[in-house]
Amino acid sequence: MTLEQYAQIGEIIAAIAVIASLIYVARELHQNTNQTRFTVAENQIAISKHVVKPVVEDRAFAELWAKGESEFDGLDPVDQQRLMLFEWQAINAWSNAFEFRRQKLLSDAEWHHQLWIYENIGRRESVRAAWKAFKGSYEKPFQGHMEPYLE
């Protein structure tokens, strides 16, 4: 065998090694992305539980939350503020979900669930009041996304 033939064999081996390493990196990246998606889904569940916990555990607050549906303007200013801050937590969770979706970390099923929440919970007077108060603290893409639901 000539030196040139050895060089050609070396190039072929190097090409195979590069392809193998690219396959390995792609596989690792896929696994990491799946793990990140799983973690995001777990976090979304934890955030949802955290947000609804006061309504579930405290009857007086649940009654106040129920009034936020359509009687928000009739509440005293302290209760209005309490509800707006409570709803702000939900809007923050929605903002996080929006960012996860933009990063392709939220599944279609989870995103469909989020859209249902926007459409239904977003009708509440207290949510709309919180949005009006805190809208400016969010980035423009999220503001634009939420306009059809909250304005």
Side-chain angles (χ1 to χ4, degrees):
M1 244 190 206
T2 67
L3 188 56
E4 187 176 314
Q5 290 172 329
Y6 282 119
Q8 288 175 347
I9 291 171
E11 286 180 19
I12 291 171
I13 292 171
I16 292 170
V18 166
I19 291 170
S21 67
L22 288 175
I23 291 170
Y24 175 78
V25 168
R27 185 171 173 232
E28 288 296 310
L29 183 61
H30 181 71
Q31 287 177 343
N32 288 343
T33 301
N34 285 342
Q35 181 59 42
T36 301
R37 284 188 178 126
F38 178 76
T39 302
V40 165
E42 280 185 325
N43 287 341
Q44 288 300 108
I45 290 168
I47 289 168
S48 295
K49 286 180 180 179
H50 172 75
V51 169
V52 300
K53 188 176 180 178
V55 176
V56 172
E57 293 182 350
D58 182 351
R59 180 172 179 83
F61 188 78
E63 290 171 356
L64 176 62
W65 188 77
K67 290 178 181 176
E69 173 87 28
S70 58
E71 302 171 32
F72 182 77
D73 291 336
L75 296 173
D76 69 63
V78 172
D79 282 343
Q80 285 182 346
Q81 288 298 313
R82 289 179 67 204
L83 271 180
M84 284 175 54
L85 291 172
F86 177 79
E87 304 293 13
W88 176 58
Q89 289 181 83
I91 294 169
N92 282 332
W94 300 349
S95 174
N96 289 336
F98 177 78
E99 283 304 313
F100 290 145
R101 181 64 178 188
R102 283 178 50 179
Q103 296 171 20
K104 300 182 185 333
L105 296 174
L106 207 61
S107 72
D108 289 343
E110 291 163 329
W111 185 241
H112 177 75
H113 177 71
Q114 285 295 318
L115 295 177
W116 184 91
I117 289 173
Y118 302 159
E119 200 150 307
N120 290 282
I121 302 297
R123 294 179 183 157
R124 296 175 46 77
E125 290 177 4
S126 56
V127 171
R128 291 174 182 258
W131 178 249
K132 186 177 178 183
F134 296 107
K135 176 183 175 181
S137 68
Y138 297 100
E139 292 183 2
K140 295 291 184 192
F142 180 66
Q143 289 181 24
H145 172 72
M146 294 308 292
E147 280 178 13
Y149 302 102
L150 300 178
E151 294 181 11

